[in-house]
Amino acid sequence: MKARWWLYPIAALLGLSLLGTLLVGFAVLVTLPTLPSLETLTDYRPKIPLRIYSAEGLLMGEFGEERRAVVKISEVPERLKQAILAAEDDRFYQHGGVDYSGVLRAAYSNFTSGGIRQGASTITMQVARNFFLTKEKTLARKFSEALLAFKIEHSLSKDEILELYINQIYLGQRAYGFASAAQVYFGKTMANITLAEAAMLAGLPKAPSHYNPITNPKRAKTRQLYVLRRMNELGHISSLELKETGEQSLRIKRKSQEFAMRADYISEMARQAVYDRYQEETYTKGFKVYTTVRKLDQQAAYQALRQGVMDYDKRHGYRGPEASVNFLKNSTPQEEILEDALQNAIDSDDIYAAVVLTANSKSVHAYRRGGENIEITGDGLKFAHKFLTDTVASGRQRIRPGALIRVQKNEKGVWQIVQLPQVEASLVSIDPQDGAIRALVGGFDFNRNQFNHVTQAWRQPGSSLKPFIYSAALEKGFTPATVINDAPISFSAAETGSKLWEPRNFDGKYEGPLRMREALAKSKNMVSIRILQAIGIHYAQDYISRFGFDPSLHPPYMTMALGAGSVTPMQMAVGYTTFANGGFRVSPYFIERIEDEKGNVLEQAQPARVTKNAKQVIDPRNAFLMTSMMQDVVERGTATRAKQLSRTDLAGKTGTTNDHIDAWFCGYQADLVAVVWIGFDNPRSLGDNETGGRAALPIWMNYMGKVLHNIPMAIYTPPRGVTMARINPATGLREAHSTMEEYFLQEQLPPEVGRDDDVAKPSGGMPDRLL
């Protein structure tokens, strides 16, 4: 009996093992029914964001909580798969869902550390946790995770499990999945990443925030080197590859979201349109919106507007530093203070915030976010030079150490002091044949001001409305040669219904009798007023509705002749398309089609086209005559600066409102209409001489010069019923030996000098000469 004492410990151990097995079995029986169904995995439907594309299929915008791009396992580069497995689960293809050696290793580590600090999660267990479970570190959760991992392994193949992991795992910066992370961190498709980039991405799942290469580059590098060492230990890469790859410097995208072009305002318009249709599904179902916007047009519009606004701002002088930072007498490390100071100073594209470190009249040293020290000298100081001297106005802060300034590189790559402009602007361009919007920039910087000035800004059009009044006059029997008196005029309080009104020409000069063509080219206010008097205010108010204007926003007063009503830049663009396309009304549209995540077309645009079903709202002969007269605005009128583009097919009209509050240029070529507006959100004067021709026209020219480059010159052919005749420039009457020619409607030819007995009067009963 004594010899068998050792049987008791063995029996106890067996009993405990049996009890443990029974307990585990009981736990399994209790837990299994609570495990979720795997339908989420077998019918994988991740949250895919709304994506907005240009007409060429280039990504312009993205909306959704999660950035994600779903890929097949066959599309994943082999090196990336190796890196992921080396970092997360090198025995993935050997174990059945739980790596027991890893469990023992983690258990030992947790026991010696006195807490649960190390997990043993396989990729399968991570898939289980990411799809179904919480991330809390409890034994109950780990047990459920292990059981669910077994269930997943029984239902899916290893490649299917790895594919789910690669698409679902969170990798920081709102990026879910490795394909999205490759784009976010490196601006590349997953197929094009290098070994070094693959290793850095593979290091992210452990702690996406901790190893984020944008915010924590040193930690990210340490983690990358660990992954590369593991790949070397596993035989995936050689020692030479380990050394060379580890020494490579990676180009990380500092901006977390970059697209093929700057198109924030039009992308937001597309988002709103889709949300109106699909509500919250907008951000999760992977809808793809293809717009009518073209990359060349959008880039040119964005750059032209930014340049034009900055040029305007420079003409009106430097206003001084934005703020001041006290970093000299502070115990906190200097770099930390500077970074904190720059935290809320949002950069505006290529205009950066910086804190001055040292400053004198010859050079400024400044600190940029991220630790970059820059020097500004020479021409880079000119704009703000007076703020570097003692002559700065009283109460204005000088540029000195601690000053928060804005800097930008010029076209030669040299730093210069600039400032964020206070003025706003907008540009929209439309294809006059069908209303397709080709470019839209609703303001200087969407991140600073989301107000879309193209669609939401109701402003006075000023003289840019005059072509519509002139068009109404042509309908009433006027001709481009009709002579109207450019002389002072006044209206009594009884006539205006309020007080005496004595309008004047912009330049204060009067030229007496002028032909209508001349008057439009020179934008003569007195002529426009007399035209409106002659055709009737209510007629004109009703007539402009043909172009898409709301008559109620253009009250029936004589001030309508000078553009005192309210319009948006979009309305102006649509209005001018009617002149450009020969008299048809087209509606603006910017969404060509909407597709679901699989490419099925959900909606397709059906625009009214000039060649198909657009409505003719004015006589094509009227449109031709107006285009001809607006060509003269460019050739010899208020927009002669546009002649620098060396094109003969440009037409348009400048616009400047009272006190220079709004400046416009609305112009077109046969295939493209573009409208530019510039002004302050809280209306105030742009400054003396800041007319449409000076403030808005250069932006229009910059844009049109780029998009019309290599586009053949358009020829405007007179439609049937339009004839040309020689006229006397002073009287507008026909004169056989004159060198001046003018277009007329066939039935509205003016009398020939010395012969008025057999010439028909213009239709509508209007006289040839209005004095």
Side-chain angles (χ1 to χ4, degrees), residues 494-694:
E495 290 176 295
T496 64
S498 69
K499 59 183 180 179
L500 175 68
W501 183 45
E502 296 179 314
R504 61 184 182 83
N505 285 329
F506 175 79
D507 58 7
K509 299 177 181 178
Y510 305 92
E511 298 186 34
L514 283 177
R515 284 175 292 111
M516 205 162 89
R517 176 182 291 274
E518 286 184 286
L520 184 64
K522 297 177 180 180
S523 197
K524 292 295 187 176
N525 291 341
M526 301 305 102
V527 172
S528 296
I529 291 171
R530 283 188 165 87
I531 288 175
L532 185 58
Q533 270 187 313
I535 66 175
I537 295 174
H538 290 286
Y539 173 78
Q541 185 188 33
D542 179 67
Y543 184 85
I544 65 172
S545 67
R546 302 185 188 187
F547 300 89
F549 298 110
D550 182 351
S552 67
L553 298 178
H554 300 268
Y557 303 114
M558 295 309 301
T559 52
M560 184 170 70
L562 308 185
S566 293
V567 299
T568 65
M570 181 69 82
Q571 282 187 332
M572 294 299 286
V574 173
Y576 274 78
T577 61
T578 301
F579 296 132
N581 65 28
F584 293 89
R585 170 81 178 274
V586 293
S587 297
Y589 76 102
F590 59 92
I591 295 179
E592 188 64 48
R593 68 184 184 279
I594 301 175
E595 296 180 358
D596 65 16
E597 61 180 308
K598 296 180 181 178
N600 299 312
V601 177
L602 303 177
E603 296 184 38
Q604 179 73 51
Q606 300 291 336
R609 302 179 188 277
V610 168
T611 56
K612 189 177 181 182
N613 53 353
K615 181 181 179 182
Q616 183 112 35
V617 293
I618 64 172
D619 190 323
R621 301 178 301 171
N622 184 309
F624 173 80
L625 292 178
M626 288 306 307
T627 293
S628 174
M629 284 195 282
M630 282 191 276
Q631 282 181 280
D632 263 19
V633 175
V634 174
E635 184 62 28
R636 57 183 60 85
T638 57
T640 53
R641 182 180 294 192
K643 292 173 68 175
Q644 296 172 19
L645 296 178
S646 299
R647 299 186 69 97
T648 59
D649 57 350
L650 303 178
K653 184 69 185 75
T654 53
T656 311
T657 62
N658 279 348
D659 301 321
H660 303 85
I661 288 175
D662 299 278
W664 297 79
F665 188 75
C666 308
Y668 58 95
Q669 183 260 2
D671 299 312
L672 192 66
V673 174
V675 167
V676 173
W677 165 86
I678 184 169
F680 291 97
D681 279 343
N682 294 316
R684 61 186 173 91
S685 177
L686 288 165
D688 292 342
N689 299 319
E690 292 293 354
T691 62
R694 190 183 192 202

Side-chain angles (χ1 to χ4, degrees), residues 473-474 477-482 516-517 625 629 732 743-744 748 750 762 768:
L474 293 180
F478 280 73
T479 76
T482 299
M516 205 162 89
R517 176 182 291 274
L625 292 178
M629 284 195 282
Y743 289 111
F744 297 93
Q748 291 181 350
D768 313 321

